[in-house]
Amino acid sequence: MQQTKQRLLTGNKALAEAIRLEMERDPNVFVMGEDVGVYGGIFGATEGLFQKFGPERVIDTPISETAFIGAAIGAAAEGMRPIVELMFVDFFGVCMDQIYNHMAKIPYMSGGRVKLPMVLMTAVGGGYSDAAQHSQTLYATFAHLPGMKVVAPSTPYDLKGMMISAIRDDNPVVFMFHKTLQGLGWMDQLDASIGHVPEEAYTVPLGKANIVREGTDITIVGIQMTVHQALEAAKRLEQQGIQAEVIDLRSLVPLDKETIIQSVKKTHRLLVVDEDYLSYGMTAEIAAIAAEHCLYDLEAPVKRIAVPDVPIPYSRPLEQFVLPNADKIFREAIQLVNE
Amino acid sequence: MAISKDHLLWMYETMYKIRCYEDKMAEAYAEGKSPVFNIGAGPVPGEMHLATGQEPAAAGMCVHLKKEDTVTAPHRPHHHAIAKGVDLNRMTAEIFGKATGLGKGKGGHMHLFDPDVKFSCGGIVGAGIPHALGAALAAKKRGTDWVAVAFIGEGAANQGAFHESLNMAALWKLPLIVVIENNQYGISVPKTASTAVPSNDVRAAAYGIKGYYVKDNDPIDMYNVSKEAVERARTGQGPSIIEIETYRYLGHFQGDPEVYRDKNEVTLLRQKDPIIRLRNYLLNECGVTEETIAQLENKATFEVDQAYAFARESDYPKPEEALEDVFV
Ligand SMILES: Cc1ncc(C[n+]2csc(CCOP(=O)(O)OP(=O)(O)O)c2C)c(N)n1
Ligand SMILES: [Mg+2]
């Protein structure tokens, strides 16, 4: 058997490498955002790019999100391929008009004649006491609005492959990376934030879920942190004789319904876990898909774990109470299997 | 312009208190974060933006304010909160995430609210300006002489909210003052790389309002300029912008690698520290004795120590309390 050489990269380095490769390949690609230059992005997504490409292609902007995200739209309409960083997804509030009324709708309103090949990349997630305005994921807020692809990879391998796909895509892509999965030295150290990443450019398709663990007794669907929590829970479930299948959605739009449906048909039980708010969110969408396509395959009602419709609180015991974790998944899964 | 000695003594005490507070916060923040720094660890987790070096803006403005005047502050809010008279015990408890905190542990360091003294702050750059605009609107509608002050960083002056708010304040002649603390950086981006004009006071011309500029972090100049701006606002003469050239001694947040600036920069800045300058001014120009100064300093230190003790001794909220207060 041929041995594959393992080259381990953190999430942030995988992302930066994807952008570097595409910038080398295509002069139309450039990066814009706050602190993306010398600093390398607050969460390291543009590490080393300024040093390599200089201030013409890696542009620090003023704190003017409406203007620079709007400018990315304008430049994309001209055929450039901008990557703009919204430092934290929570800041979408100051620039959402550009995002959902323009970036997401211009291609449609123009009857497909105007293309916006841009990437809006942004950091999501909490768990480190950054409180209500810096800890959200807002997956569903973006996924709800038609006209933009919304992806959220969970491993360094996918971060690189999906970023390359996003840059090459002719549609606007909202690319969410999870802070804790960037593998930064100053946050919680998670094994999952470091992984094998090939040196060359490769693509991972946008819109294809990944079965990261096969099982027969229950399907657990998650994205980003909740995938890793589900995997941890699955290990403990195995000790109880329960085989959990874990699906990493990777992409919310397009959503890979087929993988979910096939899995539920096999396991007959579904638990959906989300670091976003509970109501009107991803968990409800997946539950609806199950109800529409495989209701009679279910042997128990669908269960959901998500943030219980409160803003993310600051204090550690409060925040830990509202966020999903492996314990909660383990407990719910046991209950569900015994139902 | 006549300067009240009592005012200057209050300013000194306040600036000194702020410095003690931030120094102590830097220590508390570092607890549990070594040998490996982890932003989520220790008694004070999350981001921490300290205002060490920026004391003159808060003290020089707030000395002219009364309880009924509104202050909004940004993500770096401790100096404004202290100068506005926010309850120090409850503020510190909030930053430690305790149930006795201003927001019962729900808000944290960037989200301090004390309606008793009409103080608020927030983590979204520029967002406090329209809130101050609204407070100014309410003051005018009710026929009071209350004013509203929005403190922001120079980076926030490039947000739409800044320009939209100033235009409305000018149009409706509202008692709004925007104090811009130009600490030279918005995180890593120097002002020269983010702002097309040399200083933001010139932007006042675009709205037909008063613009003031305070050089070199000067507490006395800040005092004078603020006095005039507040008087104008109170007497119906409309809004103003004050930009103060100030200095951020520490990183943008604690743990900032500060790759974007020369380490020497801060050493030089500390040599002209505004607290020492004000101290010397009081001693040499105002006939204040060392003894009086020492009394003020002891009082400030005592209050700060008390606040930290209160915070540390307080209990954490119960986890389920996370579900309360979504609606009132
Ligand atoms: C709308 C928005 N954009 C970006 C940020 C991230 N951010 C927080 S502080 C900051 C820099 C602010 O600079 P300045 O206004 O000069 O204040 P300073 O930090 O220097 O006190 C940035 C970009 C934010 N909190 N909100
Ligand atoms: Mg600044």
Side-chain angles (χ1 to χ4, degrees), chain B residues 213-250:
Chain B
Y213 186 70
V214 175
K215 261 183 26 195
D216 205 21
N217 217 12
D218 187 62
I220 309 286
D221 200 22
M222 183 65 198
Y223 172 91
N224 287 328
V225 155
S226 303
K227 185 167 190 236
E228 187 180 313
V230 171
E231 268 169 20
R232 285 175 51 87
R234 281 208 204 289
T235 53
Q237 296 174 72
S240 346
I241 299 174
I242 301 172
E243 174 154 302
I244 173 168
E245 181 185 19
T246 188
Y247 307 112
R248 191 188 83 199
Y249 289 177
L250 304 173

Side-chain angles (χ1 to χ4, degrees), chain A residues 295-309:
Chain A
L295 183 63
Y296 301 118
D297 293 292
L298 285 170
E299 280 172 20
V302 176
K303 284 210 184 262
R304 313 190 268 156
I305 300 174
V307 177
D309 297 334

Side-chain angles (χ1 to χ4, degrees), chain A residues 172-230:
Chain A
V173 178
V174 177
F175 191 103
M176 297 174 154
F177 57 84
H178 198 289
K179 296 162 206 168
T180 310
L181 297 175
Q182 291 289 84
L184 302 167
W186 47 275
M187 299 194 77
D188 261 350
Q189 298 300 306
L190 222 71
D191 289 347
S193 65
I194 301 179
H196 170 58
V197 178
E199 269 175 55
E200 68 280 6
Y202 61 90
T203 58
V204 172
L206 310 182
K208 189 82 197 78
N210 194 13
I211 299 173
V212 288
R213 186 186 205 279
E214 289 193 27
T216 47
D217 301 329
I218 178 173
T219 297
I220 308 178
V221 174
I223 198 161
Q224 294 194 320
M225 280 302 280
T226 62
V227 171
H228 299 295
Q229 293 159 353

Side-chain angles (χ1 to χ4, degrees), chain A residues 33-43 51 59-68 87-88 90-95 127-134 136 179 184-189 307-322, chain B residues 36-49 75 94-98 104-111 121-125 155-156 158-160 186-189 193-195 253 255-260 316-324 326:
Chain A
E34 292 154 17
D35 306 281
V36 298
V38 175
Y39 201 100
I42 295 299
F43 298 101
Q51 289 74 11
I59 309 170
D60 272 333
T61 61
I63 309 170
S64 309
E65 288 87 357
T66 289
F68 74 75
M87 190 186 290
F88 288 68
D90 312 69
F91 307 159
F92 82 104
V94 297
C95 50
Y128 61 102
S129 292
D130 219 359
Q133 299 175 338
H134 288 76
Q136 301 166 99
K179 296 162 206 168
L184 302 167
W186 47 275
M187 299 194 77
D188 261 350
Q189 298 300 306
V307 177
D309 297 334
V310 300
I312 310 292
Y314 162 70
S315 185
R316 192 178 292 125
L318 301 180
E319 187 186 25
Q320 293 308 318
F321 180 77
V322 306
Chain B
V36 183
F37 182 89
N38 179 345
I39 187 171
V44 184
E47 283 177 64
M48 179 53 64
H49 312 86
H75 57 284
E94 183 62 28
I95 297 169
F96 277 72
K98 298 300 180 71
K104 305 177 204 165
K106 295 195 167 86
H109 132 87
M110 280 188 277
H111 318 99
C121 61
I124 304 299
V125 169
N158 297 316
Q159 266 304 9
I187 311 187
S188 70
V189 181
S194 72
T195 306
F253 35 45
D256 179 354
E258 294 188 70
V259 290
Y260 50 85
Y316 281 104
K318 293 193 183 56
E320 320 78 73
E321 287 172 32
L323 304 179
E324 297 167 6
V326 178

Side-chain angles (χ1 to χ4, degrees), chain A:
Chain A
M1 218 180 82
Q2 211 187 326
Q3 196 113 41
T4 34
K5 201 171 128 231
Q6 295 278 304
R7 190 182 63 125
L8 298 178
L9 283 192
T10 56
N12 85 296
K13 288 195 162 63
L15 256 185
E17 183 169 276
I19 299 172
R20 171 175 66 74
L21 289 167
E22 290 307 289
M23 287 180 77
E24 283 169 353
R25 178 176 172 267
D26 182 350
N28 284 311
V29 179
F30 69 99
V31 185
M32 232 181 348
E34 292 154 17
D35 306 281
V36 298
V38 175
Y39 201 100
I42 295 299
F43 298 101
T46 56
E47 194 181 294
L49 298 181
F50 180 84
Q51 289 74 11
K52 181 147 182 57
F53 297 103
E56 294 297 319
R57 293 185 73 193
V58 184
I59 309 170
D60 272 333
T61 61
I63 309 170
S64 309
E65 288 87 357
T66 289
F68 74 75
I69 291 173
I73 295 171
E78 296 288 329
M80 298 203 75
R81 293 187 171 267
I83 302 166
V84 272
E85 178 168 280
L86 177 63
M87 190 186 290
F88 288 68
V89 75
D90 312 69
F91 307 159
F92 82 104
V94 297
C95 50
M96 195 59 170
D97 180 63
Q98 291 298 335
I99 297 170
Y100 91 107
N101 259 330
H102 299 87
M103 184 182 89
K105 292 178 185 168
I106 286 173
Y108 183 78
M109 296 189 296
S110 68
R113 294 183 63 214
V114 179
K115 292 194 179 79
L116 298 179
M118 61 182 283
V119 180
L120 174 67
M121 71 172 172
T122 187
V124 307
Y128 61 102
S129 292
D130 219 359
Q133 299 175 338
H134 288 76
S135 301
Q136 301 166 99
T137 63
L138 300 178
Y139 297 129
T141 303
F142 285 81
H144 180 63
L145 301 160
M148 42 194 172
K149 296 190 176 178
V150 181
V151 304
S154 316
T155 63
Y157 182 89
D158 284 348
L159 280 163
K160 178 171 170 182
M162 290 174 77
M163 177 50 90
I164 292 179
S165 293
I167 297 169
R168 295 184 188 174
D169 202 300
D170 277 344
N171 298 288
V173 178
V174 177
F175 191 103
M176 297 174 154
F177 57 84
H178 198 289
K179 296 162 206 168
T180 310
L181 297 175
Q182 291 289 84
L184 302 167
W186 47 275
M187 299 194 77
D188 261 350
Q189 298 300 306
L190 222 71
D191 289 347
S193 65
I194 301 179
H196 170 58
V197 178
E199 269 175 55
E200 68 280 6
Y202 61 90
T203 58
V204 172
L206 310 182
K208 189 82 197 78
N210 194 13
I211 299 173
V212 288
R213 186 186 205 279
E214 289 193 27
T216 47
D217 301 329
I218 178 173
T219 297
I220 308 178
V221 174
I223 198 161
Q224 294 194 320
M225 280 302 280
T226 62
V227 171
H228 299 295
Q229 293 159 353
L231 284 171
E232 195 185 320
K235 266 195 231 155
R236 288 162 53 190
L237 288 165
E238 188 170 21
Q239 290 160 10
Q240 309 282 317
I242 298 167
Q243 298 300 332
E245 175 144 306
V246 178
I247 298 180
D248 176 2
L249 285 179
R250 299 198 286 196
S251 166
L252 294 166
V253 180
L255 181 64
D256 182 359
K257 296 182 186 178
E258 215 30 56
T259 297
I260 300 163
I261 295 166
Q262 290 315 320
S263 177
V264 171
K265 285 189 170 167
K266 179 169 74 168
T267 65
H268 310 292
R269 286 182 165 80
L270 175 61
L271 170 62
V272 194
V273 195
D274 191 7
E275 198 190 321
D276 197 359
Y277 305 120
L278 178 70
S279 297
Y280 306 97
M282 183 271 270
T283 56
E285 185 63 30
I286 305 295
I289 287 166
E292 283 169 350
H293 298 277
C294 44
L295 183 63
Y296 301 118
D297 293 292
L298 285 170
E299 280 172 20
V302 176
K303 284 210 184 262
R304 313 190 268 156
I305 300 174
V307 177
D309 297 334
V310 300
I312 310 292
Y314 162 70
S315 185
R316 192 178 292 125
L318 301 180
E319 187 186 25
Q320 293 308 318
F321 180 77
V322 306
L323 290 181
N325 59 38
D327 278 341
K328 293 184 189 177
I329 299 171
F330 176 78
R331 280 198 305 270
E332 286 292 330
I334 291 271
Q335 267 197 20
L336 187 51
V337 171
N338 291 330
E339 236 169 75

Side-chain angles (χ1 to χ4, degrees), chain B residues 4 86 94 135 142 154 179 271 307 314:
Chain B
S4 142
V86 169
E94 183 62 28
R142 288 171 166 169
E154 90 293 338
V179 177
Q271 283 166 10
S314 293

